[in-house]
mmCIF file of all heavy atoms in Angstrom:
data_model
loop_
_atom_site.group_PDB
_atom_site.id
_atom_site.type_symbol
_atom_site.label_atom_id
_atom_site.label_comp_id
_atom_site.label_asym_id
_atom_site.label_seq_id
_atom_site.Cartn_x
_atom_site.Cartn_y
_atom_site.Cartn_z
ATOM 1 N N GLU A 109 -7.333 -3.064 0.854
ATOM 2 C CA GLU A 109 -8.453 -2.265 0.378
ATOM 3 C C GLU A 109 -9.336 -1.827 1.551
ATOM 4 O O GLU A 109 -9.796 -0.686 1.609
ATOM 5 C CB GLU A 109 -9.287 -3.058 -0.635
ATOM 6 C CG GLU A 109 -10.384 -2.220 -1.289
ATOM 7 C CD GLU A 109 -11.138 -2.981 -2.372
ATOM 8 O OE1 GLU A 109 -10.744 -4.109 -2.697
ATOM 9 O OE2 GLU A 109 -12.138 -2.433 -2.862
ATOM 10 N N SER A 110 -9.562 -2.743 2.509
ATOM 11 C CA SER A 110 -10.389 -2.403 3.668
ATOM 12 C C SER A 110 -9.710 -1.346 4.536
ATOM 13 O O SER A 110 -10.365 -0.410 5.000
ATOM 14 C CB SER A 110 -10.667 -3.660 4.505
ATOM 15 O OG SER A 110 -11.325 -4.634 3.751
ATOM 16 N N LEU A 111 -8.399 -1.492 4.738
ATOM 17 C CA LEU A 111 -7.637 -0.505 5.522
ATOM 18 C C LEU A 111 -7.683 0.855 4.839
ATOM 19 O O LEU A 111 -7.887 1.890 5.488
ATOM 20 C CB LEU A 111 -6.210 -0.986 5.699
ATOM 21 C CG LEU A 111 -5.246 -0.007 6.364
ATOM 22 C CD1 LEU A 111 -5.694 0.295 7.791
ATOM 23 C CD2 LEU A 111 -3.815 -0.551 6.348
ATOM 24 N N GLN A 112 -7.491 0.888 3.513
ATOM 25 C CA GLN A 112 -7.488 2.149 2.791
ATOM 26 C C GLN A 112 -8.837 2.851 2.890
ATOM 27 O O GLN A 112 -8.913 4.050 3.135
ATOM 28 C CB GLN A 112 -7.131 1.916 1.337
ATOM 29 C CG GLN A 112 -7.175 3.173 0.483
ATOM 30 C CD GLN A 112 -6.742 2.919 -0.935
ATOM 31 O OE1 GLN A 112 -5.762 2.233 -1.191
ATOM 32 N NE2 GLN A 112 -7.481 3.431 -1.900
ATOM 33 N N ALA A 113 -9.936 2.078 2.733
ATOM 34 C CA ALA A 113 -11.271 2.666 2.818
ATOM 35 C C ALA A 113 -11.525 3.246 4.198
ATOM 36 O O ALA A 113 -12.074 4.354 4.338
ATOM 37 C CB ALA A 113 -12.335 1.615 2.487
ATOM 38 N N PHE A 114 -11.089 2.536 5.228
ATOM 39 C CA PHE A 114 -11.279 3.010 6.602
ATOM 40 C C PHE A 114 -10.491 4.286 6.864
ATOM 41 O O PHE A 114 -11.019 5.274 7.403
ATOM 42 C CB PHE A 114 -10.883 1.914 7.586
ATOM 43 C CG PHE A 114 -10.718 2.385 8.997
ATOM 44 C CD1 PHE A 114 -11.802 2.779 9.747
ATOM 45 C CD2 PHE A 114 -9.453 2.428 9.575
ATOM 46 C CE1 PHE A 114 -11.649 3.232 11.064
ATOM 47 C CE2 PHE A 114 -9.267 2.875 10.874
ATOM 48 C CZ PHE A 114 -10.392 3.267 11.618
ATOM 49 N N VAL A 115 -9.192 4.300 6.505
ATOM 50 C CA VAL A 115 -8.353 5.451 6.800
ATOM 51 C C VAL A 115 -8.810 6.689 6.036
ATOM 52 O O VAL A 115 -8.894 7.796 6.592
ATOM 53 C CB VAL A 115 -6.873 5.123 6.483
ATOM 54 C CG1 VAL A 115 -6.006 6.376 6.628
ATOM 55 C CG2 VAL A 115 -6.362 4.030 7.397
ATOM 56 N N LEU A 116 -9.137 6.527 4.760
ATOM 57 C CA LEU A 116 -9.583 7.671 3.967
ATOM 58 C C LEU A 116 -10.907 8.211 4.500
ATOM 59 O O LEU A 116 -11.119 9.438 4.549
ATOM 60 C CB LEU A 116 -9.736 7.288 2.506
ATOM 61 C CG LEU A 116 -8.435 6.994 1.740
ATOM 62 C CD1 LEU A 116 -8.740 6.586 0.320
ATOM 63 C CD2 LEU A 116 -7.511 8.195 1.773
ATOM 64 N N SER A 117 -11.793 7.332 4.928
ATOM 65 C CA SER A 117 -13.054 7.782 5.503
ATOM 66 C C SER A 117 -12.828 8.548 6.787
ATOM 67 O O SER A 117 -13.460 9.593 7.042
ATOM 68 C CB SER A 117 -13.951 6.575 5.762
ATOM 69 O OG SER A 117 -15.151 6.944 6.406
ATOM 70 N N ALA A 118 -11.879 8.071 7.613
ATOM 71 C CA ALA A 118 -11.582 8.756 8.864
ATOM 72 C C ALA A 118 -10.924 10.116 8.633
ATOM 73 O O ALA A 118 -11.263 11.105 9.281
ATOM 74 C CB ALA A 118 -10.672 7.882 9.733
ATOM 75 N N LEU A 119 -10.006 10.205 7.653
ATOM 76 C CA LEU A 119 -9.275 11.452 7.423
ATOM 77 C C LEU A 119 -10.155 12.538 6.807
ATOM 78 O O LEU A 119 -9.774 13.702 6.814
ATOM 79 C CB LEU A 119 -8.063 11.182 6.523
ATOM 80 C CG LEU A 119 -6.934 10.368 7.140
ATOM 81 C CD1 LEU A 119 -5.780 10.229 6.160
ATOM 82 C CD2 LEU A 119 -6.427 10.994 8.453
ATOM 83 N N GLU A 120 -11.316 12.147 6.292
ATOM 84 C CA GLU A 120 -12.232 13.171 5.771
ATOM 85 C C GLU A 120 -12.700 14.114 6.873
ATOM 86 O O GLU A 120 -13.110 15.240 6.604
ATOM 87 C CB GLU A 120 -13.431 12.499 5.108
ATOM 88 C CG GLU A 120 -13.105 11.865 3.755
ATOM 89 C CD GLU A 120 -14.318 11.212 3.126
ATOM 90 O OE1 GLU A 120 -15.353 11.116 3.815
ATOM 91 O OE2 GLU A 120 -14.207 10.766 1.962
#
Side-chain angles (χ1 to χ4, degrees):
E109 187 176 353
S110 301
L111 174 63
Q112 177 177 315
F114 166 69
V115 173
L116 291 179
S117 176
L119 291 182
E120 287 179 352

